[in-house]
Amino acid sequence: AVPHEEAELTDGFHLVIDALKLNGIETIYNVPGIPITDLGRLAQAEGMRVISFRHEQNAGNAAAIAGFLTKKPGICLTVSAPGFLNGLTALANATTNCFPMILISGSSEREIVDLQQGDYEEMDQLAIAKPLCKAAFRVLHAADIGIGVARAIRAAVSGRPGGVYLDLPAKLFSQVIDADLGARSLVKVIDPAPAQIPAPASVTRALDLLKSAERPLIILGKGAAYAQADEAVRALVEESGIPYVPMSMAKGLLPDTHPLSAGAARSTALKDSDVVVLVGARLNWLLSHGKGKTWGEPGSKRFIQIDIEPREMDSNVEIAAPLVGDIGSCVEALLDGIRKDWKGAPQNWLETIRSKREANIAKMAPKLMKNSSPMCFHSALGALRTVIKERPDAILVNEGANTLDLARGIIDMYQPRKRLDVGTWGVMGIGMGFAVAAAVETGKPVLAVEGDSAFGFSGMEVETICRYELPVCIVIFNNNGIYRGTDIDPTGRDPGTTVFVKDSRYDKMMEAFGGIGVNVTTPDELKRAVDEAMDSGKPTLINAVIDPEAGSESGNIGSLNPQSTLKKK
Ligand SMILES: Cc1ncc(Cn2c(C)c(CCOP(=O)(O)OP(=O)(O)O)sc2=O)c(N)n1
Ligand SMILES: [Mg+2]
């Protein structure tokens, strides 16, 4: 039998694990090391899924997208100082994208850090994290772990979701306290993300404006995908008959082939609409800040904006009808109004959108059919478009420049939260972390479509994918470089700044870790290899040879790059 005194004690290690499990958190994405190696081991022994990565940035990206997919904060666990810093990019990106995650990092002892006495991996991590995340907390006493974890969870998912930092100094873990006191110190968070109901007056104002519209438009942002109010969103579109444009990670809320989709007629929809309903979509650079030629005549637009964050309103242009609340509650309120009194779909406007959409789709179709070798972006993406059409519950991870921008318009999505990409920052490096978490959290097959440069940021995680035998099929669009593989060094000394090794074979990497590597040069070979990977569920990397001449610098956003006006010397 366990000696009497031991049976009544618990410690920091166990309280952290008990607090996470008590709140329904089952998975930790981490890179082990001092002072958190045993925390990971104990968590695994107590039934939590502990996924160990090769770099903390990828573990952090995995935690962030786990939060987006589950509405529970994803947990990234790192060592102090350098490990914590490696996790910060993912924490900041999660906060920018409103993905709920908690970065938990071990840290050095306060008394040594505050006197700057040179502790192992000494750093004032809490101070450094604060400006980059939504909230940051430190726990010094074991009896406070329950409250600390509860506050971190509530901060991550309530209101506008985001990244939270939780700082746990090394000495906290081995602190021993009475087991009963420990159990009573734990908090199961009640209603961490409460519904936030819009004010009836705001709903009336929005409905009145919408009823006055002749060319209304709905824009669905990734907030609408995160909300998991899928039925209400679909009903709002279908019962109002208003056309909609999905932002990248909102694709699939309604199938991209939906008759009311204006995705393929985006520029007409934005330019010629008169009242625009923003649903969890911010008027940031991705929507040209709500002004300029993208939006037609100045002052021709009036915005209804649904957002849980009141301060988002008027961020770029005046919002005529702010609707503050959670997306589900706001959409339901609008739907109520439409069901009571609605003039029906704007037929002429729908005809304008429909004809524009069909013309654009017809223009693109031939490019997707080419069976050229080496492939161009369009012909390779044409093959993957068919894969997703045949396998709508697969999850598509996507990053790169041409590989991203062209895939967004070419690969239709059919279900919500199935397209995971670079989000608001356009950050490279999310690929493998997102692929791991998508597979771990959903069990669904994952197709990661990667530019060859983008893949390079997280490529070492192919070993992680093989180690956990995850159903991930990586397709690398290998055009031998960033954007294009044709740059040169005018002095002739080095390769051009954006080119890579010619005819590189990324598929060979996979074989090093027991995965399957395939090299393909035609769309037919690509489709066959992807189908085989999706059927087998085995970690697979397909090196898709793309013409180095194909594509354009920075994909669709080249205009953001400053150019020197001075004469080249
Ligand atoms: C962290 C980080 N570093 C650098 C960039 C700049 N960048 C970089 C480096 C891209 C890679 C483009 O090359 P690719 O091979 O992935 O894609 P294509 O060749 O298919 O265009 S896209 C882009 O905006 C970035 N967005 N994020
Ligand atoms: Mg490239």
Side-chain angles (χ1 to χ4, degrees):
V2 175
H4 179 67
E5 58 282 2
E6 268 183 22
E8 288 170 4
L9 296 178
T10 185
D11 66 8
F13 285 110
H14 290 89
L15 286 166
V16 170
I17 295 164
D18 295 346
L20 292 174
K21 288 173 71 173
L22 178 65
N23 285 285
I25 290 171
E26 293 137 15
T27 307
I28 292 175
Y29 298 95
N30 89 129
V31 174
I34 294 170
I36 50 101
T37 313
D38 274 354
L39 180 61
R41 286 199 182 101
L42 288 167
Q44 188 177 52
E46 304 224 359
M48 292 189 80
R49 189 106 196 259
V50 179
I51 306 289
S52 293
F53 284 75
R54 308 298 300 267
H55 191 293
E56 292 86 353
Q57 174 169 295
N58 306 320
N61 285 325
I65 209 67
F68 172 73
L69 289 168
T70 66
K71 299 185 79 173
K72 290 190 294 186
I75 304 296
C76 174
L77 175 64
T78 79
V79 305
S80 37
F84 153 77
L85 289 174
N86 286 347
L88 277 188
T89 305
L91 183 70
N93 187 55
T95 305
T96 302
N97 283 280
C98 314
F99 299 155
M101 73 168 273
I102 302 171
L103 172 63
I104 301 176
S105 296
S107 61
S108 311
E109 306 321 330
R110 297 314 317 151
E111 53 273 33
I112 302 178
V113 172
D114 296 346
L115 282 172
Q116 296 161 35
Q117 292 180 318
D119 199 355
Y120 165 71
E121 293 195 343
E122 177 176 299
M123 174 172 272
D124 187 354
Q125 292 165 206
L126 186 67
I128 288 165
K130 273 192 179 144
L132 299 172
C133 58
K134 182 179 172 189
F137 305 103
R138 176 188 296 129
V139 178
L140 295 179
H141 305 297
D144 292 335
I145 287 171
I147 280 289
V149 170
R151 295 204 70 188
I153 290 170
R154 190 176 291 280
V157 296
S158 62
R160 170 175 279 176
V164 174
Y165 174 60
L166 184 60
D167 184 281
L168 304 182
K171 267 196 312 201
L172 174 72
F173 295 108
S174 49
Q175 271 183 35
V176 172
I177 64 170
D178 172 80
D180 187 40
L181 172 68
R184 279 185 283 110
S185 73
L186 296 180
V187 174
K188 182 172 174 32
V189 185
I190 296 167
D191 199 10
Q196 303 205 309
I197 317 292
S202 308
V203 176
T204 307
R205 182 189 299 115
L207 281 167
D208 290 349
L209 179 52
L210 200 49
K211 285 175 193 157
S212 73
E214 281 157 27
R215 298 180 305 286
L217 176 68
I218 292 173
I219 296 184
L220 300 175
K222 63 177 178 287
Y226 172 80
Q228 296 192 23
D230 304 343
E231 280 323 303
V233 168
R234 175 188 273 267
L236 177 67
V237 170
E238 293 187 338
E239 295 185 29
S240 68
I242 295 175
Y244 72 96
V245 168
M247 300 304 282
S248 196
M249 284 177 62
K251 281 166 63 81
L253 269 172
L254 292 90
D256 279 330
T257 50
H258 194 284
L260 289 171
S261 168
R266 185 182 192 277
S267 40
T268 299
L270 268 53
K271 194 164 58 63
D272 297 342
S273 49
D274 58 357
V275 174
V276 179
V277 187
L278 298 163
V279 187
R282 292 171 287 191
L283 282 175
N284 55 23
W285 73 280
L286 289 163
L287 282 171
S288 310
H289 302 285
K291 48 194 163 195
K293 60 182 184 353
T294 308
W295 291 95
E297 290 306 309
S300 65
K301 221 62 70 183
R302 284 178 298 164
F303 290 99
I304 297 166
Q305 184 156 15
I306 295 178
D307 204 294
I308 199 159
E309 172 51 66
R311 290 173 301 166
E312 186 59 36
M313 307 302 165
D314 303 338
S315 63
N316 283 270
V317 293
E318 179 198 84
I319 300 302
L323 208 44
V324 177
D326 71 274
I327 284 169
S329 301
C330 289
V331 170
E332 294 284 0
L334 282 185
L335 205 43
D336 258 357
I338 279 169
R339 283 173 176 157
K340 287 189 185 111
D341 167 18
W342 181 246
K343 60 188 177 186
Q347 290 307 336
N348 300 346
W349 170 230
L350 279 177
E351 187 42 37
T352 308
I353 294 289
R354 193 195 55 72
S355 57
K356 193 74 188 160
R357 177 181 68 221
E358 287 180 6
N360 287 341
I361 290 172
K363 207 162 59 184
M364 183 166 69
K367 294 185 197 173
L368 306 182
M369 310 297 281
K370 273 193 319 196
N371 201 5
S372 59
S373 171
M375 292 180 276
C376 65
F377 289 100
H378 284 86
S379 59
L381 287 168
L384 299 182
R385 171 191 170 97
T386 309
V387 168
I388 297 294
K389 186 172 179 182
E390 294 166 353
R391 302 166 187 269
D393 67 348
I395 294 182
L396 178 72
V397 171
N398 186 212
E399 59 179 345
N402 295 284
T403 305
L404 171 88
D405 291 337
L406 294 169
R408 186 187 300 118
I410 291 171
I411 301 181
D412 286 337
M413 302 310 292
Y414 300 86
Q415 293 175 17
R417 294 172 293 285
K418 292 290 184 181
R419 181 186 160 87
L420 310 174
D421 67 25
V422 299
T424 306
W425 264 350
V427 65
M428 292 301 114
I430 50 93
M432 296 306 103
F434 279 22
V436 169
V440 166
E441 297 292 339
T442 72
K444 296 288 183 190
V446 177
L447 175 60
V449 179
E450 300 276 310
D452 46 343
S453 161
F455 171 73
F457 287 79
S458 66
M460 189 60 221
E461 302 299 345
V462 294
E463 187 277 328
T464 307
I465 289 167
C466 289
R467 186 167 6 111
Y468 292 97
E469 298 175 349
L470 297 174
V472 173
C473 173
I474 304 159
V475 176
I476 294 182
F477 276 35
N478 186 353
N479 64 343
N480 288 344
I482 303 181
Y483 317 122
R484 297 162 67 103
T486 55
D487 218 10
I488 52 153
D489 169 3
T491 69
R493 184 185 49 210
D494 289 322
T497 57
T498 66
V499 298
F500 298 144
V501 167
K502 281 195 80 54
D503 307 330
S504 42
R505 290 288 301 271
Y506 292 91
D507 50 309
K508 295 289 179 201
M509 279 174 75
M510 209 56 169
E511 291 159 14
F513 305 113
I516 297 167
V518 188
N519 187 53
V520 301
T521 60
T522 69
D524 289 350
E525 286 173 6
L526 174 57
K527 171 108 179 24
R528 253 197 317 280
V530 175
D531 281 338
E532 243 169 74
M534 305 296 254
D535 291 341
S536 74
K538 287 197 171 37
T540 304
L541 191 154
I542 298 167
N543 184 64
V545 180
I546 302 283
D547 180 351
E549 298 277 343
S552 57
E553 173 115 352
S554 292
N556 293 355
I557 58 171
S559 60
L560 296 182
N561 227 350
Q563 305 277 335
S564 170
T565 53
L566 302 179
K567 281 241 172 313
K568 279 206 172 81
K569 288 195 179 51

